[in-house]
Amino acid sequence: MSKKLWYSWDEMRRDINVLCRDIVLDNFKPQVIVGISRGGLVPGVMMSHWFKLPFKPVRASIRDFPSWEDYLPKKTDQRVLIVDDICDSGKTFQKISSHITGPRAGSPMEIQCDIRYCSLWWNNEAPEGFEPHYYAQEMAKDSTKTWIHFPHELWWNAPV
């Protein structure tokens, strides 16, 4: 049996502001916000509005509905912020990073791009120790057996 943590819209809005402030204070100026579907779409759009930057949704899931969409930044996008709701293991972030920066068929050159990762929550027990550049909350999800319910998922079942 796992514990359930109900993460509210107000908490998410607060944490989006925290993340955007941290990115500004870090002097990172993304040129595009990439939201990983499904969980990264809502926070990614919110951050896109906050920064007044273009948003690119990408279907890149390893766990729930495994699928992968090829995504490459435009040549002019030298700084990319990739957003998800939670970083459990870091595998999705790592996979999309190696896809973006790896060599292409017919092109021996690698794409030079500053890619940063951002999530609302970070599982600080990530198996390979992966840590996103920016996160607002952290939790030892594995040992506490906690499942985080985000406001954009199953909102009709959330406690009142």
Side-chain angles (χ1 to χ4, degrees):
M1 184 75 168
S2 64
K3 294 189 290 185
K4 294 180 180 181
L5 187 149
W6 296 93
Y7 186 62
S8 73
W9 284 110
D10 287 339
E11 291 168 317
M12 189 162 117
R13 278 193 296 269
R14 176 204 61 212
D15 288 346
I16 291 292
N17 284 326
V18 166
L19 290 168
C20 291
R21 183 203 64 210
D22 290 349
I23 290 165
V24 168
L25 291 174
D26 193 33
N27 207 26
F28 181 64
K29 296 178 172 102
Q31 293 168 297
V32 64
I33 307 290
V34 175
I36 295 177
S37 117
R38 295 182 306 176
L41 297 180
V42 173
V45 166
M46 292 170 75
M47 294 177 82
S48 170
H49 285 289
W50 199 98
F51 282 111
K52 296 178 176 64
L53 290 171
F55 175 76
K56 169 68 177 163
V58 174
R59 189 179 34 173
S61 177
I62 292 175
R63 189 187 64 211
D64 291 336
F65 301 98
S67 65
W68 198 261
E69 175 185 306
D70 287 341
Y71 163 73
L72 292 175
K74 295 184 220 170
K75 290 182 181 183
T76 56
D77 295 334
Q78 296 300 307
R79 294 175 305 280
V80 176
L81 183 67
I82 300 175
V83 181
D84 208 350
D85 56 356
I86 188 162
C87 177
D88 271 320
S89 66
K91 288 180 182 173
T92 303
F93 283 143
Q94 290 169 325
K95 184 174 179 181
I96 200 166
S97 175
S98 63
H99 174 75
I100 290 172
T101 59
R104 304 281 158 264
S107 171
M109 294 183 53
E110 294 181 353
I111 294 175
Q112 297 300 313
C113 188
D114 186 357
I115 301 169
R116 308 257 178 118
Y117 310 102
C118 177
S119 62
L120 293 166
W121 285 84
W122 171 52
N123 176 13
N124 58 21
E125 295 178 316
E128 296 175 26
F130 183 88
E131 182 175 345
H133 296 88
Y134 310 103
Y135 55 91
Q137 303 287 334
E138 68 179 280
M139 174 187 292
K141 278 189 66 216
D142 301 333
S143 60
T144 62
K145 294 182 171 69
T146 302
W147 185 261
I148 301 167
H149 285 279
F150 291 91
H152 51 272
E153 63 181 17
L154 302 175
W155 54 271
W156 56 89
N157 287 329
V160 185

